[in-house]
Amino acid sequence: MSDNELMNKGTDIAEENNVRYYEGHNYVGVRETVAYLFNDWSNTFNINSFSERYIWDVVNIDFTVSAVMNLVTAAWDIVNDTFISVIVDSTRTRIGKFRPYLVGMQIPLTIMGVFTWLLPLFFGTTSGTYLPKLIYYYFFAIINETASTFTNVAKSGYMSTITPNPNERIRLITLAELLTGYMGEDLPRYIMGVLIDLVNNKVVNWKLGNVFMVMGGSTALISSLCTFWFFMESKERVPQSIEKPSVKEGMRAIFSNYPVLLMCLSEFLGNFSISKSETNYFIDVLGNYSLITLLNIPSSMNGSISYSFVAPLRRKFSSKSLWIFNDIYNSVISIAVFLFGMTKKKKMFMQTVPMCIAFGLKEWFVKWSWGISKVINADLWNEAMDYCEWKNGYRMEATTGVAKGLILKVQSALLGSVTSLIMKKIGYVQGLEIGAQNDRTKFWEFALCTIVPIVTGILRIVPKFLWPISRQKREWMYAELSEKRQQNVMEHGNSR
């Protein structure tokens, strides 16, 4: 059936049942929308971007030990993902399928998260192989992983069920991505960067471990309370099937859900990308993390303006085209920064002023595609979940999400261990004063945040060209879903 025939069929179904998914009413009220904004805000209200520095320079976990223990933690992660996803997808309660886990796990997860930041209080400056410290750290890592799996598995499915209207879903995603920046979601990262610079440059006589404890613990508490509020305020509105789908059905849904397979394959190929964040480059090479904050100021409005492009671009281009364009666009910019840094006898990357200009321009151009990146990537996953319901008659958010993440977690664990060993191989010495790494190490820190991720992850773009849901097919899919959902509610009521 051609795309035009698909679109006409979808339109006929919609008109026959007096249902227009793209013109339907909104389900999420003002109070719940505000809670949704604060939940999205809480996702980045943390200092997680400094977690590597915390492990390297404060907790001081030896690179080799870290590589081995990452494999152990990942093995447990894979095991608990499998049985937890089955539990979540088999759940049917009065308050919903996902909310029992989201509400019940948030408080213990917060407590355990805070304990992770308290390592310096108990172990001070012990060696990187001190056994009691390693036991403490990895014990809480395992416990925290188990609790967070329940919330992450449930949350990934929950966000696709709060409204059956795909246009409202886009509106919520766009609104959240646009406004949360002005709500200060990045403020902890900026403050932490300044504090690290003040400590490293001996402007203040504070212990770095104490700074991490206060900032890490307080942001974890605040963000968790906001997330908990959203879970209490929101509702699941997409009805689940009355029958609890079996594991066998779940596996079948995974393999028949072609969009999920493509997303998984793209991420799998992209996860071969070996990288380290710009944070390490700015601290170890340019000597000042706060420069990142200053460089972001000129481009800050670009990110906000970019969200106004989302609606017109979605009308003109398919999600597939925008997904591919965003990947190529950002890769070209990173390559340009690397080539600039390699000029002037291969030492330009160590020059503060020119490299600040280069990274500032990079942010300027990247922010123009910020809205497309944030909205399209999130909506493609939700669209894939709806595709599963359309094809199979039931939703398998938890099991499908875990299947998507399972092989990626194995791969990430292996590559995480490899990356730890790479840091050792390039000569990174833990605990050195700022700027004290040798020139070879500094070059590789620059390469690891610019060209290396592009080269090692280049194949991720191939599956994006195979995305099967055109704009016309999407119209047909949602028209038929509308009809099926109405029939389900009329015959059985909402199984929540």
Side-chain angles (χ1 to χ4, degrees), residues 48-53 56 274-284 289 292 359 419 423 444-446 448-450 453:
N48 291 347
S49 59
F50 296 96
S51 57
E52 286 184 340
R53 307 301 305 192
W56 296 353
I274 297 173
S275 66
K276 286 296 178 183
S277 71
E278 294 176 3
T279 298
N280 302 316
Y281 169 71
F282 273 83
I283 292 175
D284 292 324
Y289 174 80
I292 294 180
F359 275 94
T419 304
M423 293 305 296
W444 280 109
E445 288 199 72
F446 170 62
L448 283 167
C449 71
T450 51

Side-chain angles (χ1 to χ4, degrees), residues 14 17 57 92 232 254 268 270 291 300 311 314 362 369 418 461:
N17 292 278
D57 298 336
R92 298 290 185 273
M232 295 300 293
I254 292 163
F268 174 75
L291 291 172
S300 58
R314 286 185 72 244
K362 175 188 174 184
S369 68
V418 168
I461 196 171

Side-chain angles (χ1 to χ4, degrees), residues 260-270 408 459-460 463 466:
V260 168
L261 289 178
L262 289 176
M263 293 186 78
C264 183
L265 182 58
S266 177
E267 289 191 39
F268 174 75
L269 296 173
L408 302 179
L459 292 177
R460 68 183 176 273
L466 305 176

Side-chain angles (χ1 to χ4, degrees), residues 436-452:
Q437 305 292 338
N438 62 45
D439 287 357
R440 175 175 173 272
T441 301
K442 290 178 178 179
F443 162 74
W444 280 109
E445 288 199 72
F446 170 62
L448 283 167
C449 71
T450 51
I451 191 66
V452 174

Side-chain angles (χ1 to χ4, degrees), residues 226-364:
C226 290
T227 300
F228 185 76
W229 175 42
F230 169 66
F231 295 154
M232 295 300 293
E233 287 289 338
S234 57
K235 299 177 181 178
E236 295 177 35
R237 295 183 175 88
V238 175
Q240 302 289 334
S241 59
I242 298 299
E243 299 79 12
K244 298 177 182 179
S246 67
V247 178
K248 182 179 179 180
E249 289 173 329
M251 293 300 106
R252 189 184 303 122
I254 292 163
F255 288 106
S256 64
N257 196 338
Y258 187 46
V260 168
L261 289 178
L262 289 176
M263 293 186 78
C264 183
L265 182 58
S266 177
E267 289 191 39
F268 174 75
L269 296 173
N271 272 8
F272 283 109
S273 174
I274 297 173
S275 66
K276 286 296 178 183
S277 71
E278 294 176 3
T279 298
N280 302 316
Y281 169 71
F282 273 83
I283 292 175
D284 292 324
V285 181
L286 301 186
N288 195 322
Y289 174 80
S290 298
L291 291 172
I292 294 180
T293 304
L294 297 176
L295 295 177
N296 281 333
I297 293 175
S299 63
S300 58
M301 287 304 297
N302 296 2
S304 300
I305 296 171
S306 70
Y307 287 97
S308 65
F309 304 153
V310 174
L313 286 175
R314 286 185 72 244
R315 286 193 294 268
K316 190 173 181 61
F317 302 101
S318 66
S319 296
K320 168 185 172 180
S321 300
L322 296 174
W323 195 23
I324 294 170
F325 166 78
N326 187 67
D327 194 327
I328 296 174
Y329 178 76
N330 288 305
S331 295
V332 169
I333 294 173
S334 291
I335 292 171
V337 172
F338 174 77
L339 293 176
F340 177 77
M342 293 304 294
T343 58
K344 197 179 178 181
K345 297 182 180 180
K346 301 183 180 180
K347 292 290 186 180
M348 181 68 79
F349 69 90
M350 297 176 62
Q351 307 300 314
T352 301
V353 174
M355 291 313 299
C356 281
I357 294 174
F359 275 94
L361 288 173
K362 175 188 174 184
E363 286 300 310
W364 174 270

Side-chain angles (χ1 to χ4, degrees), residues 351-388:
Q351 307 300 314
T352 301
V353 174
M355 291 313 299
C356 281
I357 294 174
F359 275 94
L361 288 173
K362 175 188 174 184
E363 286 300 310
W364 174 270
F365 288 108
V366 164
K367 286 292 177 63
W368 286 115
S369 68
W370 194 258
I372 291 296
S373 176
K374 294 289 186 178
V375 175
I376 294 300
N377 289 350
D379 190 56
L380 282 173
W381 174 250
N382 293 327
E383 191 173 279
M385 294 299 96
D386 292 333
Y387 183 91
C388 177

